[in-house]
Amino acid sequence: MTMSLEEDPTEDLDVSTQMEVGKFSQLPAAERTTSVAKPIVCIQTFKSDTNDPLSLEATLRELDPQYVVMFHCNVTAIRQLEVHEARLRREIENRMKVFFLLHAQTIEEQSYLTNLRREKQAFEHLIDTKKTMVIPKRLSEQEEREMAQEEFREATSMRNAAQSSEKSPALMKIVTDMREFRSDLPCLIHKLGIEVIPITLTIGDYVLTPEVCVERKSISDLIGSLNSGRLYNQCTQMVRNYAVPILLIEFDQNRPFYLQDRYMISNDTVSNSDIKQKLQLLTLHFPKLRIVWSPNPYATAQLFYEMKQNKPEPNEKLCSVIGSDNHTAESEALEKFNLEIYDFLLKLPGVTEKNVFKLMKSFKDFKELLKADQAQLQEALGSRESAKLLWDILHVPQKPKIETSTSGKFPHAKFKGRKFQKAK
């Protein structure tokens, strides 16, 4: 700020000479307090740090200048001036005026115009990209589901308040294995308004309905279970005890949703083709098994929520004893018949889950089954086509596609002397 001073013989000297004679250091206190309304000239540098008290933004807030002369045309500083003026929302005649010092047809002018052109191209590219951008909806869908659940609960409470005699709808529930609480999935299921019942399950990880059981596997757990054979035993138990067994393969939310070429598990390299071949063998052994792929736990929670719609709720007491030693089997296969022979008969052509029990009741063992003709097989299976398929596989020599040491006869030696029904 310019001070009003009394006339001094040293006033005509330049600034360096005045500093040498000590004029500024010897001003009386009374003269320093006298000021007049003269324009304030501030030389400002471009500082990018907004928290700096000497930055352009801080200077604009403090001084609110009426005129700005741009000695260097910095695009960032120009945009700061525009933002400052836009915040004040002043009339046109009261707005800040900006002047630019530029030499026409110089490199400086071309540099400034180039920066403006790049800025325009960046905004145009941003607009074009946004038109075709795929926006992830995981979080937004999660919020929408939470809002829908909240609105449903509020509507239910208001309806119950208006009609006290009306019963509230039953809360959906899922029986969950205790070991699954090391993952995020039980918490995500609970956020959807589904009650999570933690118990120790012998078969499966999640029981959605009395008929639906889910075994959840991550990629690393899937590879380890396939190599050790543990997954085969788990699927066997699910198929025997539940009508709809499901193998859920869940990917990591931070990884791509596809099988990679190679996996490193316990210093062993597992290829993509090995996993696919073992999964194909698994589906051939268990035709009832459903394999579901999930990209992340959020999608799995949403899948469980949709599968629970209008379905009966599971019984946690029954789920806890299924597969244990104390479980009393209700299935005829587990109660009366030999399970190994039961599984073997299901692999024969013409034998299905609908006629396998009748077939095992009609014949005592494989010896009687081999002596039966097509009429007896048709009576046991209830279908002429099924009886012909079974009789052909038992009596007609089959030619293998590749040469092996097998004679083509039915391999009944393994089950020789073993009866269909269990000994009482």
Side-chain angles (χ1 to χ4, degrees):
M1 179 177 291
T2 305
M3 299 295 180
S4 176
L5 304 175
E6 295 181 357
E7 293 187 359
D8 195 291
T10 62
E11 194 169 9
D12 297 334
L13 301 177
D14 58 359
V15 177
S16 60
T17 307
Q18 292 180 17
M19 293 179 65
E20 290 178 359
V21 300
K23 174 179 178 295
F24 293 105
S25 61
Q26 297 176 0
L27 285 176
E31 293 179 350
R32 286 198 298 262
T33 58
T34 305
S35 62
V36 294
K38 289 187 177 181
I40 301 176
V41 178
C42 178
I43 301 176
Q44 176 67 39
T45 59
F46 302 133
K47 290 182 176 293
S48 59
D49 189 3
T50 56
N51 297 324
D52 193 337
L54 299 179
S55 63
L56 177 59
E57 185 176 353
T59 304
L60 292 175
R61 288 197 305 265
E62 181 179 357
L63 299 180
D64 188 17
Q66 296 180 355
Y67 301 93
V68 175
V69 179
M70 300 293 296
F71 187 77
H72 294 289
C73 296
N74 186 284
V75 178
T76 304
I78 295 173
R79 299 296 173 252
Q80 291 181 356
L81 294 174
E82 293 176 352
V83 171
H84 172 74
E85 187 61 36
R87 289 174 179 172
L88 298 179
R89 299 181 179 180
R90 294 184 290 198
E91 299 295 336
I92 298 178
E93 58 273 9
N94 298 329
R95 291 180 182 175
M96 177 176 54
K97 298 177 176 58
V98 182
F99 301 90
F100 299 89
L101 292 180
L102 279 176
H103 292 281
Q105 299 180 356
T106 59
I107 297 178
E108 184 181 11
E109 180 186 14
Q110 293 301 322
S111 177
Y112 172 63
L113 295 177
T114 301
N115 292 333
L116 291 181
R117 185 167 56 254
R118 289 177 179 176
E119 182 185 41
K120 180 181 177 181
Q121 292 176 355
F123 275 103
E124 291 176 352
H125 182 267
L126 180 62
I127 294 173
D128 294 339
T129 305
K130 190 176 181 180
K131 292 180 182 178
T132 58
M133 183 182 298
V134 179
I135 302 176
K137 296 183 178 180
R138 185 184 65 191
L139 297 179
S140 61
E141 289 180 357
Q142 179 71 12
E143 295 175 358
E144 291 178 1
R145 290 194 297 268
E146 293 178 0
M147 293 177 61
Q149 289 288 331
E150 186 66 22
E151 291 175 359
F152 176 77
R153 286 192 291 267
E154 291 178 359
T156 303
S157 60
M158 293 176 62
R159 185 170 61 252
N160 291 340
Q163 302 176 359
S164 57
S165 60
E166 184 180 357
K167 295 183 179 180
S168 61
L171 184 64
M172 293 186 294
K173 61 182 180 180
I174 293 179
V175 179
T176 307
D177 189 18
M178 292 287 294
R179 291 160 289 192
E180 283 295 309
F181 281 85
R182 291 177 291 185
S183 64
D184 299 334
L185 185 55
C187 297
L188 297 177
I189 295 175
H190 180 71
K191 286 183 178 181
L192 295 181
I194 302 176
E195 182 182 1
V196 179
I197 302 177
I199 62 175
T200 302
L201 293 177
T202 307
I203 300 175
D205 296 325
Y206 297 90
V207 180
L208 307 185
T209 68
E211 297 180 350
V212 180
C213 179
V214 179
E215 178 71 26
R216 188 184 72 90
K217 295 290 184 183
S218 61
I219 296 299
S220 58
D221 192 13
L222 174 68
I223 296 173
S225 300
L226 288 173
N227 293 336
S228 63
R230 181 164 53 94
L231 182 58
Y232 181 86
N233 297 329
Q234 292 173 340
C235 293
T236 302
Q237 295 297 327
M238 284 197 301
V239 169
R240 288 176 179 174
N241 292 275
Y242 290 95
V244 185
I246 297 177
L247 173 61
L248 175 68
I249 303 175
E250 185 178 273
F251 285 73
D252 189 357
Q253 58 183 351
N254 298 323
R255 298 291 181 86
F257 183 38
Y258 61 86
L259 290 176
Q260 300 178 11
D261 294 335
R262 298 285 179 180
Y263 287 94
M264 295 297 297
I265 304 296
S266 300
N267 296 327
D268 294 333
T269 304
V270 181
S271 64
N272 188 356
S273 59
D274 294 340
I275 302 175
K276 292 181 179 179
Q277 291 175 2
K278 292 180 180 179
L279 288 178
Q280 290 173 359
L281 292 176
L282 197 67
T283 54
L284 291 176
H285 282 286
F286 305 103
K288 290 174 54 178
L289 182 66
R290 272 80 164 175
I291 298 181
V292 180
W293 304 81
S294 176
N296 50 57
Y298 294 94
T300 303
Q302 177 64 21
L303 175 65
F304 285 178
Y305 178 80
E306 295 176 358
M307 294 178 64
K308 288 288 297 180
Q309 300 298 321
N310 302 324
K311 294 295 189 300
E313 303 300 332
N315 186 350
E316 56 270 19
K317 294 183 179 179
L318 180 60
C319 294
S320 62
V321 299
I322 290 179
S324 61
D325 297 336
N326 299 327
H327 177 222
T328 303
E330 299 178 0
S331 174
E332 195 172 6
L334 296 177
E335 191 175 35
K336 294 182 178 181
F337 299 104
N338 193 318
L339 293 181
E340 292 187 9
I341 300 179
Y342 169 79
D343 294 336
F344 178 77
L345 288 176
L346 285 177
K347 295 180 175 62
L348 297 179
V351 182
T352 62
E353 294 181 355
K354 297 181 180 180
N355 55 27
V356 63
F357 296 133
K358 189 176 180 181
L359 179 65
M360 298 178 75
K361 289 179 181 178
S362 303
F363 302 98
K364 183 178 180 182
D365 52 21
F366 273 106
K367 186 177 181 179
E368 292 187 3
L369 182 63
L370 291 172
K371 293 180 179 180
D373 54 13
Q374 293 192 26
Q376 294 175 334
L377 294 177
Q378 179 179 350
E379 183 180 357
L381 298 176
S383 173
R384 180 183 299 178
E385 292 79 6
S386 300
K388 187 177 185 307
L389 291 174
L390 182 58
W391 192 88
D392 290 344
I393 198 66
L394 295 179
H395 300 281
V396 178
Q398 305 295 325
K399 294 182 179 180
K401 295 182 180 180
I402 56 177
E403 296 182 359
T404 59
S405 59
T406 307
S407 61
K409 298 181 180 180
F410 179 72
H412 58 84
K414 178 180 178 182
F415 302 100
K416 186 177 181 180
R418 301 181 65 176
K419 298 182 179 181
F420 287 170
Q421 299 188 13
K422 294 182 179 179
K424 297 182 179 179

